[in-house]
Amino acid sequence: MKLGLKQREHTATGVKKEIKVAFETNAVAFYATFSGLASDKIGYPIRELCTNAWDAARGNFQVHLPTSLDPVFKVRDFGTGMSEHDMENVYARPYASKKRESNDQVGGWGIGSKSPYAYLIGDNGSGTYNVTSYHEGVMRCYVMSLADDGMPRMDLLHEGPSDEPSGIEVSFAVARSDIITFRQRAFEILWSFSPRPTVLPALDWKEPAILAQGDDWTKFDPKSVPFSGPHVRMGCVMYPVNLDKIRSGNFLDASDAVMFDAPIGSLKVTLSREDIAYDETTKTTLQSLVKKFEDNFISQLQAKVEVAPNLFEAARIFEDEVVGFGLSRSERIRRKVLWNGRAIPEHLPKENCKTNMLPYNWQSFDKFEDSNVCTKSVTDAVIVIEHNPSYSLGRFQMAELVGKKVLWIRCKRIHREQVLDALGNPEVIDLDAYKVPVEKRSSKSIRKRKTLVVGAEGHLYRMTQNVDLAEGGLMVLSSSAGWRRRRRGTTDWYRLHARQVGSMEFAKVEAFVMTAFEFGLIEQGTVILVKNEDQEVPGDWTLLAEDMIPDIRSRIDMSEFNGIRKKTINNIHHNMQSVAMIDGFAVAPEDFKQFHADLKALCELLKANAPTESTSDKALIALQTLGVEFQKPEVACPIEAITDRFEMLCERYPLLNLIVDEYHYGSDREAKKKKLDHYFGLLARPVAANDNEEIESAESELEEAA
């Protein structure tokens, strides 16, 4: 591997004597490099010897783990081996390496072959290890040891022909107390090798559970891999990633069992290769890998969610994919991943509705219990929706839903479309469509009551009939204003919402209901209960207008309040109308020309004004009927403004009003245009000595003619 060591230019000046700095070759330096360097005395030689074998043979090597019968650790690769020259000039020399010319191999420091010393040097001296090279039909056996001065030495013990396959074999004895640790560390280190070597005795390489996978990254179930937190693999060696050392964008968490794959040479590692050296190149590489992980993960999750048939299946997919991500990180992803352009909520939205989940094998219930429901739990549930709360169990029985998993939604009819839209418009069963036979109902809740029935086009009919009070629905309050009844005969008075001040006569109630009918807020055939203020009724009863007010208010178009609302051309004075119909004033003053253009444009707008009531008009009248305040915008009336401008022009040009106000038989417009052109022509003439006399004479002529 290219180590990326940069050559610095020598820039010292005024040098009197050059003193070369040299490394002292002694036992202290050797110990610091090969034993003191590594903190993991067992994992270090396993990783370095196996990495050298992986470089030489790409998985075609064997690892013999120590056992109680054979307490020896041995690595045998089937690469090209090393010649006698390379053994003496590369293998035996610290920091000598033939791997620095390219990034095809992981090694390059030139000290991994001496890594057994880290394990063998102890308080009581040092052990030896054996190295055998099989190269071009020759076997050479070496012993690596320490001399009396503490310096390493390599002795050739045997040289001779061999029919063994080429390669290198390194072995050393292991303390019996370390046998189990060697096996454990070999499993953890060799797990990231691809391909893996042949290990004897065999290790149990259980297939890890892959949660997600993308370009140069794999996310595992933490319980299925021998590491925790994010790691990066370069070649065959895997290193932990310290997120505090890089700008990771907070998407990758320290608990994520993610393994990244980085190209050989793109990361700098420490001399012992136990960790990453976080230089700028390494940080850039890691940041790029983490960003790719985030982009890949979100795009893959978005693709899976998009094909979900409904919101609930999309929620199940989302929740399964972000298992273990934590609340804050899941919510950040939730804002980026959408289904059909909408967010995927963790719990069902409950605006204007209540929800309850009935589990499998349920048989009965006392009443509806409002609760929060996880969106993904609805995936395999039947969805039912209901307005009336009474006889629900009977309706479930009629719909053959008893015992099935059911999402039970309760909402008012006017909110049904909004509630279903928030749920992605799923298929639902309307429980209100199932009518429980009268004989199965409780007679205690059926009473004869006054009602208002909605007929064609929203007309109201007063009717006394049997009403199941437990069923719920819409109601109005019958006013107790007795003095009004005495004063105004038999007219009924009602209150339609809780904030209403005073009462409303029947005709106004009917007018309001007809508007609500036109807006689609109430249906023909709807029965409205007339409830006395002192009566108590069971069930879910709602005042008629209570839930309609926001919808009616939303139908008012604020842009219609422009100052000419409900006004026509007849609101403009006939004199100004006649001026607007005259075309062209070539010699008129500029202020009059601008006035004429504005007047003409305003008249065109007023001509286009429709005399019929708009939706905004109807909604505003309905709110006024209910006594609901609506703040209209403050706008100036353009008719008043244009009238004021005309009066100012008449003061500036005294004959203007006289000419405009004059009436002519026949072509009145042409006569006015001629006189105005003549008048403006006089005003446009250059000032001369006798101009005043001519103007006064002309004004006199015009006055006499008028």
Side-chain angles (χ1 to χ4, degrees):
M1 178 180 69
K2 294 180 180 180
L3 299 181
L5 302 177
K6 303 296 183 182
Q7 183 67 36
R8 299 292 191 270
E9 183 180 354
H10 182 64
T11 58
T13 58
V15 176
K16 295 182 178 180
K17 182 179 181 181
E18 179 181 342
I19 303 171
K20 290 187 176 181
V21 177
F23 286 96
E24 180 70 26
T25 304
N26 54 39
V28 174
F30 174 77
Y31 177 83
T33 300
F34 295 101
S35 185
L37 182 69
S39 60
D40 184 358
K41 307 299 185 184
I42 293 177
Y44 180 49
I46 294 176
R47 181 179 60 255
E48 295 304 306
L49 297 181
C50 291
T51 299
N52 285 343
W54 189 85
D55 280 342
R58 281 298 190 274
N60 186 18
F61 66 98
Q62 296 176 350
V63 177
H64 294 258
L65 298 177
T67 64
S68 57
L69 296 178
D70 184 18
V72 174
F73 176 75
K74 180 169 63 176
V75 178
R76 167 70 159 99
D77 72 62
F78 298 95
T80 60
M82 297 183 73
S83 64
E84 181 178 15
H85 177 272
D86 288 342
M87 288 297 296
E88 294 177 0
N89 294 279
V90 178
Y91 199 96
R93 294 179 179 273
Y95 298 108
S97 176
K98 299 176 67 176
K99 301 180 182 181
R100 298 172 188 160
E101 301 303 319
S102 70
N103 285 324
D104 295 333
Q105 296 175 305
V106 180
W109 285 117
I111 60 175
S113 59
K114 273 68 74 177
S115 60
Y117 282 122
Y119 175 75
L120 296 172
I121 297 175
D123 294 338
N124 298 322
S126 173
T128 63
Y129 67 99
N130 302 313
V131 181
T132 302
S133 174
Y134 300 93
H135 180 70
E136 296 181 351
V138 178
M139 178 181 70
R140 296 181 180 87
C141 300
Y142 301 89
V143 174
M144 305 292 292
S145 62
L146 292 184
D148 293 341
D149 60 357
M151 292 295 293
R153 57 181 295 171
M154 184 172 73
D155 297 317
L156 177 62
L157 296 184
H158 172 75
E159 180 178 15
S162 173
D163 56 1
E164 285 285 323
S166 298
I168 295 288
E169 179 182 283
V170 181
S171 62
F172 57 88
V174 171
R176 294 186 179 276
S177 59
D178 294 332
I179 290 176
I180 295 177
T181 305
F182 262 85
R183 184 175 182 85
Q184 178 183 347
R185 293 294 290 124
F187 178 85
E188 295 167 350
I189 292 170
L190 296 176
W191 186 90
S192 63
F193 279 52
S194 180
R196 292 185 182 127
T198 301
V199 182
L200 301 171
L203 294 173
D204 185 10
W205 303 110
K206 293 181 179 179
E207 287 299 319
I210 298 177
L211 301 180
Q213 200 166 22
D215 298 335
D216 300 325
W217 63 270
T218 305
K219 188 173 189 295
F220 300 97
D221 181 345
K223 299 178 182 178
S224 68
V225 292
F227 65 91
S228 61
H231 279 62
V232 59
R233 177 172 63 183
M234 185 170 67
C236 58
V237 183
M238 188 167 62
Y239 306 95
V241 176
N242 186 345
L243 297 180
D244 293 336
K245 301 285 188 180
I246 63 173
R247 297 189 301 274
S248 61
N250 296 325
F251 182 83
L252 183 64
D253 191 78
S255 63
D256 290 336
V258 179
M259 183 176 72
F260 299 100
D261 278 298
I264 296 175
S266 63
L267 303 176
K268 299 297 187 294
V269 297
T270 59
L271 188 59
S272 65
R273 292 211 295 195
E274 292 178 308
D275 203 355
I276 301 171
Y278 291 90
D279 64 350
E280 291 305 315
T281 300
T282 300
K283 290 179 182 179
T284 301
T285 299
L286 293 176
Q287 289 164 5
S288 175
L289 290 171
V290 172
K291 184 64 169 61
K292 186 184 295 184
F293 165 59
E294 178 178 358
D295 294 342
N296 281 182
F297 184 88
I298 291 178
S299 63
Q300 289 178 11
L301 180 53
Q302 180 65 59
K304 293 177 181 178
V305 163
E306 284 177 353
V307 298
N310 52 57
L311 177 65
F312 316 113
E313 178 64 19
R316 185 195 64 77
I317 294 172
F318 181 91
E319 298 296 344
D320 289 347
E321 291 293 322
V322 300
V323 169
F325 271 56
L327 179 60
S328 60
R329 193 158 46 134
S330 296
E331 289 305 313
R332 289 202 301 272
I333 301 174
R334 197 182 299 277
R335 289 192 290 269
K336 297 182 179 181
V337 177
L338 307 176
W339 178 80
N340 283 358
R342 69 180 70 202
I344 304 173
E346 182 181 4
H347 294 92
L348 292 183
K350 297 181 61 176
E351 184 175 359
N352 296 321
C353 72
K354 298 177 181 179
T355 58
N356 186 20
M357 182 67 78
L358 299 177
Y360 284 113
N361 301 320
W362 68 273
Q363 295 300 316
S364 182
F365 52 80
D366 293 331
K367 60 181 180 178
F368 181 91
E369 297 288 346
D370 186 28
S371 60
N372 289 327
V373 177
C374 291
T375 308
K376 73 171 186 176
S377 67
V378 187
T379 303
D380 55 347
V382 179
I383 305 173
V384 302
I385 193 164
E386 179 183 41
H387 167 71
N388 294 330
S390 58
Y391 313 115
S392 296
L393 182 57
R395 290 171 174 156
F396 274 107
Q397 292 169 344
M398 294 176 67
E400 298 181 351
L401 295 176
V402 176
K404 296 182 179 180
K405 183 179 179 181
V406 176
L407 170 64
W408 188 3
I409 303 173
R410 293 276 306 281
C411 73
K412 295 180 173 61
R413 291 186 180 91
I414 63 171
H415 295 141
R416 180 171 297 189
E417 184 177 344
Q418 174 190 354
V419 169
L420 292 180
D421 180 70
L423 299 177
N425 294 308
E427 293 185 4
V428 297
I429 295 176
D430 187 354
L431 281 187
D432 292 326
Y434 292 87
K435 303 300 182 183
V436 179
V438 176
E439 60 270 16
K440 293 186 178 181
R441 304 184 186 182
S442 170
S443 60
K444 295 181 180 180
S445 63
I446 300 176
R447 293 287 184 271
K448 191 176 290 294
R449 287 287 187 267
K450 290 182 179 180
T451 64
L452 303 176
V453 181
V454 181
E457 298 182 354
H459 288 286
L460 285 180
Y461 301 93
R462 285 172 277 206
M463 182 183 299
T464 300
Q465 59 180 315
N466 286 331
V467 177
D468 189 346
L469 298 178
E471 196 169 74
L474 296 175
M475 69 174 181
V476 294
L477 293 178
S478 178
S479 173
S480 60
W483 67 272
R484 286 182 173 173
R485 290 195 181 93
R486 291 193 300 272
R487 183 179 178 184
R488 302 190 183 183
T490 59
T491 300
D492 294 329
W493 295 81
Y494 307 94
R495 290 178 58 205
L496 307 190
H497 64 101
R499 292 158 290 173
Q500 180 179 337
V501 178
S503 301
M504 186 185 305
E505 60 185 332
F506 175 82
K508 289 189 176 181
V509 175
E510 184 178 48
F512 170 78
V513 172
M514 291 176 70
T515 301
F517 180 86
E518 183 180 345
F519 289 169
L521 303 179
I522 196 167
E523 300 173 353
Q524 183 175 344
T526 301
V527 177
I528 304 169
L529 175 68
V530 178
K531 174 186 172 297
N532 293 331
E533 292 181 335
D534 57 350
Q535 282 181 329
E536 294 292 335
V537 292
D540 186 8
W541 293 92
T542 304
L543 283 167
L544 174 63
E546 196 66 39
D547 295 323
M548 298 181 183
I549 293 174
D551 189 283
I552 294 173
R553 190 189 298 272
S554 68
R555 294 172 186 266
I556 299 177
D557 184 358
M558 299 293 288
S559 65
E560 292 186 15
F561 296 94
N562 52 13
I564 59 173
R565 183 170 173 269
K566 290 188 176 183
K567 295 180 180 179
T568 66
I569 189 66
N570 295 326
N571 292 95
I572 292 282
H573 194 276
H574 63 86
N575 283 347
M576 289 196 293
Q577 290 186 47
S578 65
V579 173
M581 290 187 290
I582 297 175
D583 295 325
F585 289 101
V587 294
E590 288 301 321
D591 54 353
F592 183 83
K593 287 182 179 180
Q594 185 61 52
F595 163 77
H596 181 260
D598 294 342
L599 175 62
K600 194 169 185 178
L602 178 59
C603 288
E604 292 298 324
L605 286 176
L606 291 171
K607 289 178 183 178
N609 262 12
T612 57
E613 285 187 334
S614 66
T615 299
S616 294
D617 293 328
K618 295 175 182 178
L620 186 60
I621 292 172
L623 292 179
Q624 291 171 344
T625 301
L626 296 173
V628 176
E629 292 185 2
F630 181 79
Q631 190 67 33
K632 293 186 290 186
E634 295 284 339
V635 291
C637 177
I639 297 177
E640 295 178 3
I642 204 78
T643 302
D644 291 341
R645 287 173 63 185
F646 180 70
E647 292 176 356
M648 292 175 63
L649 288 171
C650 289
E651 292 178 2
R652 189 173 304 158
Y653 309 112
L655 296 184
L656 177 60
N657 190 45
L658 186 65
I659 297 172
V660 172
D661 194 40
E662 181 184 10
Y663 178 74
H664 295 269
Y665 292 99
S667 181
D668 179 68
R669 195 185 312 167
E670 289 298 324
K672 288 183 179 181
K673 184 177 188 312
K674 287 181 180 180
K675 290 189 176 184
L676 287 173
D677 284 341
H678 180 59
Y679 179 45
F680 291 145
L682 292 174
L683 294 177
R685 288 179 55 182
V687 178
N690 60 348
D691 268 356
N692 291 335
E693 296 177 2
E694 290 185 11
I695 292 173
E696 290 174 359
S697 174
E699 288 178 348
S700 299
E701 291 176 5
L702 289 172
E703 288 176 357
E704 291 176 3

